[in-house]
Amino acid sequence: LLRRDRCAPPPNTRTEADVAAVLIAEDEPRISALVRKGLSANGFSVTVVPDGPSAYAYAHSGAFDLMVL
């Protein structure tokens, strides 16, 4: 796990360029909603896709800093 105090400024001090983009691949809507809510509340830009093929396509865009599968 990343320690927020060492890795990134608090969410309210981030600029748009500082926001990490996270791709979540999850087919269970309740789980993806929970993960999205937690990451968004901590200042991350979150995209959710429902399956592996979609995740593969999005991942190749190069627009994400982290993928959660």
Side-chain angles (χ1 to χ4, degrees), residues 10-36:
N12 59 350
T13 62
R14 289 183 179 170
T15 65
E16 190 170 316
D18 294 331
V19 174
V22 180
L23 175 63
I24 300 170
E26 176 56 58
D27 62 350
E28 177 59 47
R30 290 173 54 194
I31 294 173
S32 62
L34 179 67
V35 175
R36 176 197 290 264

Side-chain angles (χ1 to χ4, degrees), residues 1-7 39 66:
L1 295 174
L2 298 176
R3 289 193 51 181
R4 177 171 295 286
D5 60 328
R6 290 187 186 175
C7 297
L39 289 171
L66 174 70

Side-chain angles (χ1 to χ4, degrees), residues 23-66:
L23 175 63
I24 300 170
E26 176 56 58
D27 62 350
E28 177 59 47
R30 290 173 54 194
I31 294 173
S32 62
L34 179 67
V35 175
R36 176 197 290 264
K37 182 178 179 181
L39 289 171
S40 295
N42 283 284
F44 294 93
S45 171
V46 180
T47 300
V48 177
V49 295
D51 54 42
S54 298
Y56 185 80
Y58 273 82
H60 280 280
S61 73
F64 297 96
D65 301 301
L66 174 70

